[in-house]
PDB file of all heavy atoms in Angstrom:
ATOM      1  N   GLU A 975      17.177  18.081  -7.906  1.00  0.00           N
ATOM      2  CA  GLU A 975      17.431  16.842  -7.134  1.00  0.00           C
ATOM      3  C   GLU A 975      18.654  16.968  -6.288  1.00  0.00           C
ATOM      4  O   GLU A 975      19.748  17.270  -6.782  1.00  0.00           O
ATOM      5  CB  GLU A 975      17.554  15.641  -8.073  1.00  0.00           C
ATOM      6  CG  GLU A 975      16.341  15.403  -8.969  1.00  0.00           C
ATOM      7  CD  GLU A 975      15.298  14.514  -8.299  1.00  0.00           C
ATOM      8  OE1 GLU A 975      15.514  14.148  -7.119  1.00  0.00           O
ATOM      9  OE2 GLU A 975      14.270  14.228  -8.924  1.00  0.00           O
ATOM     10  N   PHE A 984      18.065  19.556   0.706  1.00  0.00           N
ATOM     11  CA  PHE A 984      17.843  20.980   0.869  1.00  0.00           C
ATOM     12  C   PHE A 984      17.244  21.271   2.241  1.00  0.00           C
ATOM     13  O   PHE A 984      16.295  20.569   2.647  1.00  0.00           O
ATOM     14  CB  PHE A 984      16.878  21.470  -0.243  1.00  0.00           C
ATOM     15  CG  PHE A 984      17.427  21.430  -1.640  1.00  0.00           C
ATOM     16  CD1 PHE A 984      17.079  20.383  -2.484  1.00  0.00           C
ATOM     17  CD2 PHE A 984      18.339  22.428  -2.074  1.00  0.00           C
ATOM     18  CE1 PHE A 984      17.592  20.337  -3.783  1.00  0.00           C
ATOM     19  CE2 PHE A 984      18.856  22.384  -3.366  1.00  0.00           C
ATOM     20  CZ  PHE A 984      18.469  21.306  -4.193  1.00  0.00           C
ATOM     21  N   ILE A1023      -2.399  -5.697  -3.727  1.00  0.00           N
ATOM     22  CA  ILE A1023      -3.284  -5.150  -2.674  1.00  0.00           C
ATOM     23  C   ILE A1023      -4.565  -5.918  -2.668  1.00  0.00           C
ATOM     24  O   ILE A1023      -5.156  -6.173  -1.564  1.00  0.00           O
ATOM     25  CB  ILE A1023      -3.498  -3.615  -3.005  1.00  0.00           C
ATOM     26  CG1 ILE A1023      -2.176  -2.873  -2.779  1.00  0.00           C
ATOM     27  CG2 ILE A1023      -4.601  -3.098  -2.080  1.00  0.00           C
ATOM     28  CD1 ILE A1023      -2.257  -1.446  -3.272  1.00  0.00           C
ATOM     29  N   SER A1089      25.310  22.273  -5.978  1.00  0.00           N
ATOM     30  CA  SER A1089      25.351  23.166  -4.823  1.00  0.00           C
ATOM     31  C   SER A1089      24.171  24.150  -4.888  1.00  0.00           C
ATOM     32  O   SER A1089      23.493  24.263  -5.938  1.00  0.00           O
ATOM     33  CB  SER A1089      26.684  23.935  -4.840  1.00  0.00           C
ATOM     34  OG  SER A1089      26.729  24.770  -5.990  1.00  0.00           O
TER      35      SER A1089
END
Side-chain angles (χ1 to χ4, degrees):
E975 299 275 0
F984 291 101
I1023 293 169
S1089 63

